[in-house]
Amino acid sequence: MATTSKVNGTAGSGIPENVPPVSCPLADEPTEIASNISFHAKYSPHFSPFKFEPEQAYFSTAESVRDRLIQQWNETYLHYHKTDPKQTYYLSMEYLQGRALTNAIGNLEIQGAYADALNKLGHDLEEIVEQEKDAALGNGGLGRLASCFLDSMATLNLPAWGYGLRYRYGLFKQRITKDGQEELAEDWLEKFSPWEIVRHDVTFPIRFFGHVEVHPSGSRKWVGGELVQALAYDVPIPGYKTKNTNSLRLWEAKACAEDFNLFQFNDGQYESAGQLHSRAQQICAVLYPGDATESGKLLRLKQQFFLCSASLQDIIFRFKERKDGKGSWQWSDFPSKVAVQLNDTHPTLAIPELMRLLMDEEGLGWDEAWDVTTRTVAYTNHTVLPEALEKWSQAVMWKLLPRHMEIIEEIDKRFMAVVHTSRTDLESKLPSMRILDNNPQKPVVRMANLCVVSSHTVNGVAQLHSDILKSELFADYVSIWPKKFQNKTNGITPRRWLRFCSPELSSIITKWLKTDQWVTNLDLLAGLCKFADNEDLQNEWASAKMANKQRLAQYIFRVTGESIDPNSLFDIQVKRIHEYKRQLLNILGVIYRYKKLKGMSPEERRKTTPRTVMIGGKAFATYTNAKRIVKLVNDVGDVVNTDPEVNDYLKVVFVPNYNVSAAEMLIPGSELSQHISTAGMEASGTSNMKFALNGCLIIGTLDGANVEIREEIGEDNFFLFGATADEVPQLRKDRENGLFKPDPRFEEAKQYVRSGAFGSYDYNPLLDSLEGNSGYGRGDYFLVGHDFPSYMDAQARVDEAYKDRKRWLKMSIMSTAGSGKFSSDRTIAQYAKEIWNIEECRVP
């Protein structure tokens, strides 16, 4: 592998002399591709000349791939413009794209050609891919779902775009120190991203603050305040084996040169001279800025409005542009050309903003604007957790968005009038159903209620979750609009989550199914069922799994310095750190296992199933208990991994800075994964689908999509434990009434932590959340104590099953074979048909 500046005796440029720098933007032969990469290195330089080390090679390679994408992109844009189909616009505060290079060359089917081309340039594709930093545009499952959806939209040739924000510093980069988690700014844009194209001609004004002027005609106009510009950056989204290349449009906030006060600057008032510039930069600096302060709340609201306003102005502009010169049209045509999907409540302000644009800018009356808006917008709910259902202070809203508050008040008033006239039986429920909560202590706007009242369709993201929405959270609305509520079980893209991240397993699947069509028709995986007992398949399966485990062991050594044994059972839980996801249950189980191993004789230990437990995920910067859990996992690892009596049988590793690229290592190498949230609290989960697809067995509760995964892969192939969603409320009541009897194993595990076995850090505040029967932060709200005994019993069943290699391999094959339902292609096809009413628009 060449990393020096002289390769094959060239004169210092680092690029071999036999590879001339020639522009071949659509090349698919390795020799021409190598020339095109060389051309970009020389004529689109970002570094000093004569350097062609892996980093320079990555940027030139990305630009070469981008040439091909731009050609397809332009053809797609033109085709949509000419055929003018109904188009979906997906609004999301988060996208977790992962690396673009492997995905792009995979979807374009030019992996081999690029590998050969890079070899000619003295580089290795695997090494070049590693140079790419993950785009820091998301945090957890919400953002990754949005990215899987974009991949499926393009692959299904659907006219659909994503809209998001271009966060410079992301959520944070996680570093683990002796004190636990430390947050650093993400550096993905420290140099630049080769995948984005700035569109200098696509800018829209975004207003904050100000006041509403009432004209003599009665029309209203929002004026004054502060104006910033939204500038578009486009990222290409290629489909798999198709020309269609859609866009993810990300907005950046900017101020203009005329907003810079030169007089103040020359007078030495540097800060105030560039005040608007610095305020504009704050908008897209960080994902989910801390909102404990008034200024933090304002900034979050600014972000949400900025996304909604820029996106809707763009959508309206494009709608008019496509109508231009095509005869007369009416605004009532808008919903037959535009579908807007709100990914959770963060983009709720799209509703009043669309109303404002239609009424104040386009001159529509209320009734017509309301008709257009309610036929255009649909809402996906992602949570039943009360703290995640956004409620914004009315005072903050009036200050930042006075016109929108007028519109929201009017929507609320009209909704209540409808209930008063047509549903008198619901009048007693109105205080909780209405959009404005006018509680004098804390008047708020309930964003989920605004979404439900204003959308034509509301969907949950797994069958259990949608059932809970209909029977509990939104039950009263269901009685008014029974047809408004649907389920759309989430899915994942089989390209990134199997085809590209586990090439060995993919080849085996293709070989046994005698087709690679499963990559776009995942139901074909069911064809593996009939071979599940076949010894040849089992042996091939085991060797592919071992290759992935070895690759993962190398990765773990690289990022943590810890050596792990690929012959042990790889047991993984990776997801955001949250008390409802119950990483605490996992680590307390590990602590009990460690204590038992310590008490065994060497002979007894040799009979146990050796395990490597890996836990990873980010804890929100201000979420104290989540950060304590991160510290506890690390402290337990420090003790267990250095204990010579036990560390051949148990290792505990915290995987730092969990992101998409880490997941692409962890998931293929995993054999058991933990999806152990308190039943009824995880809307769906999507990592459970990724693990199952990769032949990893699940230990889990009947929560979210676990319910459907277990149905699809077979109950015998799923390690089930814990209370069910309908039992949880009663169990909480019993706890409050002092009826809970803890399992001695649970008490023992907690006591072991309190004994100081894992260091001197005071874990009492964390353990106290599991104690007592009621009170804030007490009473074990997430039922860790209740589910502990059945969790430990399920883990014992895992140990037994793993000892029977044939049985375990069969279960693993059945897990993959049953994963067909969980393709995001299926999910998106259902959204397209049942919510958006859009159709394939294939580029010829």
Side-chain angles (χ1 to χ4, degrees):
M1 255 175 244
T3 52
T4 60
S5 56
K6 287 198 175 181
V7 182
N8 302 358
T10 51
S13 80
I15 293 178
E17 286 162 356
N18 62 352
V19 182
V22 180
S23 172
C24 319
L26 304 181
D28 41 28
E29 289 304 313
T31 309
E32 289 181 337
I33 290 172
S35 285
N36 199 49
I37 294 172
S38 171
F39 174 84
H40 279 292
K42 187 168 182 181
Y43 295 111
S44 321
H46 305 285
F47 299 89
S48 313
F50 315 128
K51 258 192 170 177
F52 197 64
E53 285 163 16
E55 187 178 35
Q56 289 79 26
Y58 160 67
F59 283 109
S60 303
T61 302
E63 286 175 324
S64 173
V65 175
R66 198 182 75 173
D67 289 344
R68 176 87 163 256
L69 290 175
I70 286 172
Q71 171 70 25
Q72 295 190 181
W73 212 3
N74 292 342
E75 285 179 25
T76 306
Y77 190 90
L78 190 66
H79 183 62
Y80 292 170
H81 190 75
K82 282 202 308 230
T83 52
D84 189 21
K86 182 174 183 182
Q87 187 161 337
T88 291
Y89 300 97
Y90 195 84
L91 269 59
S92 181
M93 282 299 275
E94 294 186 41
Y95 292 89
L96 265 184
Q97 287 289 97
R99 289 178 173 148
L101 179 55
T102 30
N103 192 67
I105 59 177
N107 277 0
L108 294 167
E109 292 189 286
I110 47 177
Q111 267 156 319
Y114 264 81
D116 294 350
L118 282 164
N119 284 340
K120 291 178 192 296
L121 293 165
H123 284 290
D124 179 75
L125 177 61
E126 274 187 25
E127 181 194 24
I128 298 310
V129 160
E130 285 294 316
Q131 299 296 312
E132 181 175 359
K133 292 184 157 94
D134 280 34
L137 300 171
N139 169 28
L142 183 87
R144 185 53 233 171
L145 180 79
S147 294
C148 281
F149 279 4
L150 294 181
D151 182 81
S152 287
M153 289 166 185
T155 298
L156 293 171
N157 302 304
L158 291 169
W161 275 30
Y163 280 112
L165 296 182
R166 182 178 180 266
Y167 303 104
R168 173 168 286 279
Y169 301 116
L171 185 76
F172 59 84
K173 189 155 80 175
Q174 183 189 54
R175 186 196 291 165
I176 301 299
T177 67
K178 63 178 184 353
D179 300 318
Q181 169 183 292
E182 188 186 327
E183 301 89 20
L184 309 165
E186 286 269 18
D187 57 355
W188 77 287
L189 284 175
E190 202 75 338
K191 293 197 168 78
F192 70 105
S193 165
W195 303 105
E196 58 183 21
I197 308 260
V198 58
R199 306 288 189 192
H200 290 290
D201 57 326
V202 182
T203 61
F204 295 100
I206 313 292
R207 189 182 305 278
F208 301 114
F209 308 111
H211 62 278
V212 180
E213 272 181 2
V214 186
H215 295 255
S217 64
S219 67
R220 305 173 89 82
K221 194 99 178 162
W222 181 25
V223 295
E226 172 181 299
L227 261 188
V228 298
Q229 299 298 313
L231 172 66
Y233 284 75
D234 284 354
V235 179
I237 307 292
Y240 179 71
K241 291 193 184 184
T242 176
K243 274 191 186 170
N244 285 55
T245 302
N246 290 334
S247 288
L248 168 58
R249 178 158 282 182
L250 301 169
W251 299 107
E252 164 107 305
K254 288 174 79 80
C256 305
E258 63 199 43
D259 296 316
F260 185 79
N261 190 322
L262 210 52
F263 177 82
Q264 283 185 336
F265 191 86
N266 287 327
D267 191 37
Q269 302 175 51
Y270 306 129
E271 267 79 27
S272 49
Q275 207 174 24
L276 194 65
H277 284 257
S278 106
R279 283 210 291 266
Q281 276 179 335
Q282 289 165 9
I283 293 172
C284 296
V286 169
L287 168 66
Y288 302 140
D291 59 355
T293 61
E294 180 75 5
S295 55
K297 289 183 174 65
L298 262 176
L299 181 56
R300 277 213 195 184
L301 200 54
K302 271 186 170 182
Q303 288 184 327
Q304 294 189 356
F305 179 66
F306 182 79
L307 167 66
C308 296
S309 181
S311 304
L312 282 165
Q313 290 183 69
D314 193 34
I315 291 165
I316 286 174
F317 175 81
R318 190 170 305 110
F319 170 74
K320 289 171 154 179
E321 184 185 50
R322 287 183 184 173
K323 293 290 177 207
D324 209 26
K326 289 187 182 167
S328 68
W329 55 273
Q330 282 91 32
W331 279 104
S332 56
D333 300 337
F334 189 77
S336 65
K337 291 295 179 187
V338 172
V340 171
Q341 188 70 33
L342 308 181
N343 192 29
D344 215 350
T345 50
H346 312 124
T348 305
L349 291 166
I351 293 161
E353 175 65 354
L354 182 52
M355 290 292 289
R356 182 191 73 83
L357 290 167
L358 292 173
M359 292 191 298
D360 302 0
E361 305 294 325
E362 304 295 343
L364 274 65
W366 179 278
D367 291 338
E368 197 183 351
W370 181 246
D371 177 65
V372 169
T373 300
T374 53
R375 289 195 294 128
T376 299
V377 176
Y379 158 58
T380 301
N381 171 282
H382 284 276
T383 182
V384 294
L385 295 185
E387 72 269 23
L389 286 170
E390 291 187 295
K391 295 178 178 69
W392 285 103
S393 149
Q394 290 184 25
V396 172
M397 294 268 289
W398 277 114
K399 183 175 168 185
L400 190 72
L401 304 168
R403 179 67 179 120
H404 298 78
M405 271 306 283
E406 290 184 345
I407 292 168
I408 291 167
E409 273 196 332
E410 185 65 22
I411 295 172
D412 188 48
K413 194 175 97 186
R414 290 179 181 232
F415 169 65
M416 292 202 298
V418 166
V419 174
H420 283 309
T421 54
S422 63
R423 289 299 301 270
T424 45
D425 58 314
L426 285 174
E427 283 188 349
S428 64
K429 303 280 182 65
L430 260 181
S432 64
M433 291 176 75
R434 61 178 298 189
I435 295 156
L436 297 178
D437 178 351
N438 292 328
N439 172 348
Q441 267 76 52
K442 201 183 171 197
V444 293
V445 181
R446 302 170 175 135
M447 301 312 251
N449 292 18
L450 178 54
C451 287
V452 173
V453 168
S454 314
S455 302
H456 61 82
T457 307
V458 175
N459 73 283
V461 289
Q463 194 61 58
L464 175 69
H465 171 236
S466 298
D467 291 345
I468 290 171
L469 290 185
K470 288 204 278 199
S471 62
E472 294 173 34
L473 198 64
F474 299 141
D476 296 324
Y477 300 108
V478 175
S479 74
I480 305 178
W481 301 296
K483 293 199 173 120
K484 184 178 279 204
F485 296 85
Q486 298 187 10
N487 174 54
K488 294 285 168 279
T489 298
N490 283 341
I492 56 169
T493 167
R495 273 73 64 185
R496 184 177 292 272
W497 295 114
L498 180 53
R499 176 66 192 81
F500 304 150
C501 72
S502 185
E504 295 91 344
L505 199 61
S506 294
S507 303
I508 291 165
I509 292 168
T510 297
K511 174 185 158 186
W512 284 80
L513 293 179
K514 297 189 166 58
T515 176
D516 66 354
Q517 297 286 305
W518 60 269
V519 181
T520 48
N521 181 3
L522 205 60
D523 289 331
L524 293 175
L525 290 180
L528 292 170
C529 289
K530 61 176 181 285
F531 304 120
D533 286 305
N534 184 299
E535 208 169 317
D536 294 337
L537 173 57
Q538 287 187 358
N539 288 334
E540 289 174 31
W541 200 266
S543 68
K545 205 68 189 168
M546 182 50 79
N548 287 331
K549 288 177 76 177
Q550 284 166 339
R551 200 179 291 134
L552 173 53
Q554 287 163 3
Y555 173 80
I556 293 295
F557 185 71
R558 193 166 80 238
V559 298
T560 69
E562 192 61 54
S563 298
I564 59 175
D565 178 7
N567 292 307
S568 64
L569 166 58
F570 278 12
D571 164 353
I572 300 184
Q573 185 183 20
V574 278
K575 48 187 82 249
R576 288 182 301 124
I577 310 291
H578 196 297
E579 285 165 287
Y580 89 82
K581 292 177 186 283
R582 300 201 296 191
Q583 287 91 352
L584 186 53
L585 174 60
N586 185 347
I587 196 63
L588 286 171
V590 169
I591 288 164
Y592 183 78
R593 176 181 283 260
Y594 173 61
K595 189 165 186 282
K596 283 289 137 257
L597 280 165
K598 283 294 282 177
M600 287 180 188
S601 67
E603 290 72 35
E604 288 172 317
R605 283 187 204 125
R606 278 197 284 274
K607 290 179 188 154
T608 63
T609 301
R611 255 195 217 218
T612 302
V613 178
M614 294 169 243
I615 297 175
K618 294 177 180 179
F620 198 69
T622 54
Y623 188 173
T624 316
N625 259 0
K627 291 179 85 167
R628 288 181 180 127
I629 293 168
V630 173
K631 170 125 179 76
L632 178 59
V633 174
N634 281 285
D635 286 351
V636 170
D638 287 345
V639 170
V640 172
N641 301 346
T642 53
D643 185 331
E645 290 183 317
V646 168
N647 63 15
D648 282 344
Y649 303 98
L650 181 63
K651 284 248 173 127
V652 180
V653 179
F654 188 89
V655 186
N657 201 41
Y658 179 60
N659 60 13
V660 176
S661 293
E664 288 169 354
M665 281 286 177
L666 287 154
I667 291 168
S670 175
E671 293 173 289
L672 178 76
S673 72
Q674 305 213 23
H675 304 275
I676 57 178
S677 50
T678 314
M681 303 205 79
E682 185 74 87
S684 166
T686 45
S687 69
N688 44 7
M689 302 170 185
K690 292 161 199 160
F691 282 104
L693 179 64
N694 279 271
C696 170
L697 302 184
I698 291 175
I699 181 169
T701 49
L702 280 180
D703 197 21
N706 281 2
V707 178
E708 291 160 78
I709 291 172
R710 183 167 169 265
E711 281 170 10
E712 294 291 315
I713 69 173
E715 296 175 8
D716 297 344
N717 304 312
F718 188 104
F719 297 98
L720 180 69
F721 76 95
T724 60
D726 51 358
E727 292 167 350
V728 168
Q730 187 57 47
L731 287 166
R732 287 190 179 132
K733 278 204 186 84
D734 292 349
R735 176 80 184 222
E736 278 176 33
N737 296 327
L739 301 174
F740 173 66
K741 296 275 182 292
D743 185 269
R745 294 174 289 181
F746 181 57
E747 295 303 293
E748 215 178 310
K750 288 185 299 180
Q751 190 45 47
Y752 204 39
V753 177
R754 288 199 167 105
S755 75
F758 303 106
S760 58
Y761 181 82
D762 179 13
Y763 282 110
N764 282 313
L766 175 62
L767 296 172
D768 284 351
S769 71
L770 307 174
E771 307 296 354
N773 294 328
S774 60
Y776 181 72
R778 288 176 66 80
D780 193 9
Y781 185 75
F782 300 102
L783 273 62
V784 175
H786 176 276
D787 282 358
F788 191 83
S790 78
Y791 174 69
M792 295 310 291
D793 296 346
Q795 288 287 17
R797 296 200 304 276
V798 169
D799 288 333
E800 277 314 298
Y802 195 70
K803 287 176 181 163
D804 183 344
R805 181 176 173 277
K806 273 186 78 68
R807 179 185 162 207
W808 187 274
L809 284 166
K810 179 181 181 175
M811 290 168 81
S812 172
I813 293 165
M814 292 300 284
S815 177
T816 300
S819 292
K821 175 180 177 177
F822 304 105
S823 168
S824 49
D825 297 345
R826 185 264 317 148
T827 313
I828 286 298
Q830 289 177 338
Y831 273 98
K833 186 170 179 241
E834 296 161 24
I835 297 180
W836 303 330
N837 193 24
I838 63 169
E839 290 175 345
E840 178 180 278
C841 188
R842 189 187 289 263
V843 176

